[in-house]
Amino acid sequence: MTPGPEGIRCLLMRGGTSKGAYFLAGDLPADPAARDALLLRVMGSPDARQIDGLGGAHPLTSKVAVVSASADPDADVDYLFLQVAVDKAEVSDRQNCGNILAGIGPFAVERGLVPAGEERTSVRIRMVNSGDHATAVFPTPGGRVDYTGDTVISGVPGTAAPVLIEFPASAKPLLPTGNARDEIDGIPVTCVDNGMPTVLIEATSLQVTGYEAPAELEADTELADRLRTIRLTAGRLMGLGDVSDATVPKLTLLAPPRDGGTVTTRTFIPVRCHTSIGVLGAASVAAGLRIDGAVGADLAVLTPGSDRVRIEHPTGFLDLDSSLGTTPDGRPAARRTAVVRTARKIFDGTVFPRSAETAPIPARPLGGHRWPRRSATSPTSATPSCSPRTSTPASRSSPTSWA
């Protein structure tokens, strides 16, 4: 499908501490390559400013959610997350995004994929990128999504309605390498996956404190080289293959808490330092801290008998409920993870991405400027499914408040 003069319907939303464009799968091209080319134009990539699109010139604001009704009996909708690069023509489906996930339930109701309840609505979501599941619960008084409320999350100004996200136990191994601790390039690490492949590293082992501002860490070229080596090796150890062109695994530096939390974190995505922390990355950190012998377990301040984990990050906290159990053969396994996020509808309307034929045309040598022509036709295609490409102050609401 090539966008015609009528454009493509889009809902621009903030989900958690990220922002992205949400689409129905049927409104996008069925062919993944054509879809990705269109999304690059929608977001304004490649351009460091993304000045000609919806993107906000940062990985956290250059994201896309593709949503459709699910054929999975355990899900209501399918959610495919796509990370659109800012300064290069690249769209990746190799990871999930737990922050954008916060907007999937409201979007599903807004677009009529799921009927709204009279007070609250629960939406079961299959995350297509990994096959994992989540359930989102949010207020819908009178059968309409209500984005207003008094919940605060770090890294987002103002308040909004709470979105409770709960992740059930996963069948995947929590420790992909089979070890609570590995060593890469002489550095002890723990490779953990509780929804997001993550490598835990004690900050001091890399000659940093773990309390630096993100910009300071990004400017440290020696640190960047060490982290790249660790990430490439960890990717192979975790069964992810060559991750040189991927955004996973994430690398999280750990330090003792400084403001009453469980641990302090600095997370790389993969070379930019996150201004907060991703939801699924936080879920992996929380699980890792509870594993005997894991990197960071001796730094963490955990309350005996409590599932609450408060993760400090550059702009505040992220609170989770995280509980672990064991597999029949005695390996650690995540049992339940829950977190409260918020979402906000920013723009609901039509976008008019340029087609490949209407890209800007350079000025001719002898002067004059030709305005690009817009195609008057809009070829149709089969309705696509939601499928991957084949070629904070802490919330004032407790994650368990609705459980």
Side-chain angles (χ1 to χ4, degrees):
M1 180 176 78
T2 300
E6 73 281 2
I8 297 173
R9 192 175 183 190
C10 168
L11 182 58
L12 186 66
M13 297 187 72
R14 175 190 60 75
T17 55
S18 293
K19 184 172 68 175
Y22 291 64
F23 296 94
L24 288 174
D27 289 341
L28 295 175
D31 175 65
R35 176 200 68 202
D36 291 355
L38 185 148
L39 293 177
L40 286 166
R41 296 194 296 273
V42 168
M43 302 307 286
S45 296
D47 173 34
R49 302 165 299 164
Q50 291 185 318
I51 200 166
D52 204 27
L54 297 179
H58 192 281
L60 298 181
T61 57
S62 186
K63 300 184 174 189
V64 169
V66 183
V67 186
S68 63
S70 181
D72 186 335
D74 296 323
D76 300 309
V77 297
D78 285 350
Y79 153 49
L80 173 67
F81 171 70
L82 298 172
Q83 179 69 60
V84 181
V86 174
D87 56 359
K88 56 184 175 180
E90 179 179 287
V91 178
S92 174
D93 61 9
R94 294 190 64 177
Q95 70 169 76
N96 288 319
C97 179
N99 276 302
I100 291 296
L101 174 64
I104 298 299
F107 175 84
V109 171
E110 294 266 11
R111 290 295 187 262
L113 297 177
V114 176
E118 281 302 312
E119 295 297 330
R120 295 191 183 99
T121 300
S122 176
V123 178
R124 302 172 303 159
I125 303 163
R126 182 175 77 100
M127 293 177 279
V128 174
N129 306 69
S130 63
D132 293 328
H133 291 75
T135 299
V137 183
F138 49 95
T140 52
R144 297 176 63 88
V145 179
D146 185 1
Y147 296 96
T148 62
D150 62 1
T151 296
V152 175
I153 62 173
S154 296
V156 176
T159 65
V163 179
L164 173 67
I165 305 174
E166 186 164 359
F167 304 95
S170 173
K172 298 186 300 184
L174 184 61
L175 296 172
T177 70
N179 304 316
R181 185 177 291 230
D182 294 285
E183 186 172 297
I184 299 176
D185 196 30
I187 303 297
V189 304
T190 291
C191 300
V192 60
D193 185 355
N194 188 24
M196 177 66 70
T198 303
V199 183
L200 307 183
I201 309 166
E202 189 170 337
T204 55
S205 68
L206 292 170
Q207 286 72 57
V208 295
T209 67
Y211 306 117
E212 293 88 351
E216 182 180 350
L217 292 173
E218 288 179 3
D220 188 334
T221 56
E222 183 177 343
L223 174 65
D225 289 341
R226 295 296 302 276
L227 291 176
R228 182 178 185 276
T229 297
I230 291 171
R231 201 176 75 84
L232 292 176
T233 302
R236 292 189 292 270
L237 291 176
M238 298 174 79
L240 300 172
D242 181 4
V243 297
S244 55
D245 293 324
T247 56
V248 290
K250 308 298 186 190
L251 305 180
T252 296
L253 307 187
L254 304 176
R258 292 207 303 183
D259 199 13
T262 303
V263 72
T264 296
T265 61
R266 296 292 185 268
T267 298
F268 290 82
I269 53 171
V271 293
R272 299 293 299 271
C273 185
H274 206 308
T275 54
S276 56
I277 188 171
V279 169
L280 294 169
S284 291
V285 171
L289 297 177
R290 294 185 178 276
I291 298 172
D292 290 339
V295 169
D298 57 339
L299 302 176
V301 179
L302 294 165
T303 303
S306 173
D307 291 338
R308 175 60 56 87
V309 176
R310 168 168 283 190
I311 295 178
E312 300 180 6
H313 56 71
T315 51
F317 300 95
L318 192 152
D319 282 343
L320 302 95
D321 283 354
S322 175
S323 62
L324 259 59
T326 56
T327 63
D329 59 0
R331 293 176 298 169
R335 291 192 303 188
R336 175 184 178 271
T337 305
V339 62
V340 169
R341 297 275 84 187
T342 64
R344 178 76 72 185
K345 181 166 63 173
I346 299 171
F347 165 82
D348 188 356
T350 301
V351 293
F352 299 89
R354 299 165 301 161
S355 69
E357 292 78 20
T358 61
I361 299 172
R364 289 172 290 179
L366 296 181
H369 177 76
R370 289 189 347 190
W371 292 102
R373 294 172 290 111
R374 183 180 297 278
S375 171
T377 61
S378 179
T380 59
S381 64
T383 299
S385 62
C386 181
S387 58
R389 187 169 60 251
T390 55
S391 29
T392 74
S395 167
R396 291 177 183 158
S397 298
S398 166
T400 57
S401 60
W402 292 348

